[in-house]
């Protein structure tokens, strides 16, 4: 827990990630390149900000035959000591820097890079088709549809734990409703899933409606979208 001065007000933040991100570089919407130092969540707000250092110098790595800026490949230098706050939503790309022997740093974009690649959060959701509750990696859920390992998959728990990339062979894509997002750990997500189940069992006890169950317990009905 830490307190920061941000936009002329004091806020309380929690650190989400402190390790394994030192080699994480992002291209911001301003086209500046930053090295990520920490990812923080502003408490009581659904907001995530990134604490990072900016590269003060950035130029194309090559200019012929085409200026490498077009491909977002830059030579970067002079990493600032000062920490800056940037907004997760405004990161254009997550990228990496290849260090050359002479100390020159070359910034090369990773295609299809999304912030979820380094922000490993979890989401709890309820599937529309059978009203089951589950927690999955945050990036499994997009546009009200959640990827879910289908019957060909023997162990879906492993896929969730290892944050598999959903593919068209082993996953169904099912309409779902988000119950809770930006959960930092799987164990916390599992607690919330259990609570969501119990809450709905309580609230539906009176009117004899079906209660929410963990999805993997019933694999039957399914409306693939
Ligand atoms: C890095 O910063 C120093 C001091 O501001 C400057 O003299 C130097 O030219 C910069 N290096 C590059 C590669 O921009
Ligand atoms: C599925 O995977 C999880 C975690 O990797 C493991 O704990 C569990 O025993 C596996 N279940 C089966 C049926 O293999
Ligand atoms: C698994 O999902 C894929 C993609 O939706 C589908 O093509 C395949 O037939 C499914 N397999 C089973 C056994 O449901």
């Amino acid at each position: 827990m830490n307190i920061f001065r941000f936009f002329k007000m004091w806020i309380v933040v929690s650190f989400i990630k402190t390790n394994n991100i030192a080699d994480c570089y992002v291209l911001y919407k301003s086209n500046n390149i930053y090295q990520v130092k920490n990812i923080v969540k502003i408490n009581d707000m659904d907001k995530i900000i990134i604490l990072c250092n900016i590269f003060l110098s950035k130029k194309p790595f090559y200019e012929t035959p085409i200026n490498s800026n077009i491909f977002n490949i830059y030579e970067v230098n002079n990493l600032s000591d000062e920490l800056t706050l940037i907004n997760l939503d405004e990161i254009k790309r997550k990228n990496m820097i290849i260090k050359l022997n002479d100390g020159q740093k070359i910034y090369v974009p990773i295609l299809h890079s999304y912030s979820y690649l380094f922000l490993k959060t979890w989401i709890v959701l309820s599937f529309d088709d059978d009203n089951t509750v589950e927690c999955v990696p945050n990036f499994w859920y997009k546009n009200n549809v959640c990827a879910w390992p289908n019957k060909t998959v023997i162990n879906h728990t492993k896929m969730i734990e290892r944050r598999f990339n959903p593919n068209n062979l082993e996953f169904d894509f099912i309409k779902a409703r988000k119950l809770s997002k930006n959960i930092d750990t799987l164990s916390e997500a599992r607690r919330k899933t259990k609570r969501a189940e119990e809450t709905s069992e309580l609230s539906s006890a009176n009117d004899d409606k079906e209660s929410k169950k963990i999805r993997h317990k019933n694999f039957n009905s399914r409306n693939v979208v």
Side-chain angles (χ1 to χ4, degrees), residues 6-216:
F6 179 56
F7 292 152
K8 295 184 182 152
M9 60 177 188
W10 291 98
I11 53 166
V12 179
V13 304
S14 320
F15 285 96
I16 299 178
K17 283 259 180 297
T18 48
N19 47 16
N20 292 332
I21 55 172
D23 57 349
C24 195
Y25 301 87
V26 294
L27 179 67
Y28 203 49
K29 103 178 164 182
S30 59
N31 278 330
N32 285 326
I33 296 171
Y34 294 89
Q35 182 182 50
V36 175
K37 275 280 152 28
N38 223 316
I39 300 170
V40 297
K41 184 160 85 184
I42 302 182
N43 289 10
D44 305 323
M45 276 170 76
D46 203 8
K47 190 165 180 66
I48 287 175
I49 51 177
I50 316 286
L51 214 50
C52 50
N53 299 113
I54 188 173
F55 282 101
L56 297 171
S57 139
K58 167 181 130 220
K59 59 182 186 184
F61 179 41
Y62 52 84
E63 298 193 33
T64 53
I66 301 173
N67 188 312
S68 74
N69 284 1
I70 290 172
F71 305 110
N72 288 312
I73 300 176
Y74 308 96
E75 182 186 335
V76 291
N77 236 310
N78 278 7
L79 188 64
S80 146
D81 292 332
E82 252 177 62
L83 283 174
T84 313
L85 294 176
I86 63 172
N87 207 329
L88 175 69
D89 303 332
E90 290 174 7
I91 288 175
K92 275 163 67 171
R93 286 162 184 276
K94 173 189 178 279
N95 297 269
M96 62 176 187
I97 289 187
I98 299 171
K99 287 186 178 105
L100 300 185
N101 288 338
D102 59 1
Q104 195 185 29
K105 298 189 186 72
I106 309 302
Y107 170 92
V108 182
I110 299 169
L111 295 177
H112 306 300
S113 54
Y114 300 102
S115 48
Y116 66 71
L117 290 178
F118 65 92
L119 192 69
K120 295 181 176 166
T121 63
W122 306 88
I123 184 166
V124 176
L125 42 76
S126 157
F127 286 98
D128 286 5
D129 59 353
D130 58 3
N131 221 20
T132 52
V133 192
E134 265 298 344
C135 51
V136 298
N138 54 320
F139 63 95
W140 284 20
Y141 183 70
K142 255 181 228 161
N143 303 324
N144 303 321
V145 170
C146 182
W148 184 255
N150 74 8
K151 288 164 195 158
T152 55
V153 172
I154 295 164
N155 193 339
H156 66 279
T157 311
K158 198 182 274 176
M159 283 189 157
I160 293 172
E161 284 174 2
R162 298 193 184 168
R163 301 175 68 86
F164 257 66
N165 271 326
N167 57 64
N168 289 330
L169 288 177
E170 299 164 297
F171 284 78
D172 288 330
F173 295 86
I174 304 158
K175 283 216 164 104
R177 192 167 50 88
K178 177 177 65 200
L179 300 179
S180 176
K181 62 171 184 171
N182 293 339
I183 305 165
D184 304 336
T185 64
L186 180 56
S187 51
E188 190 191 339
R190 283 176 172 158
R191 272 197 301 279
K192 288 193 172 179
T193 306
K194 205 157 182 355
R195 210 180 309 143
E197 272 189 290
E198 287 163 0
T199 313
S200 91
E201 270 169 25
L202 285 177
S203 63
S204 61
N206 294 334
D207 50 8
D208 251 10
K209 287 265 165 60
E210 76 214 298
S211 56
K212 289 199 192 302
K213 289 278 185 294
I214 299 271
R215 184 170 189 86
H216 51 80

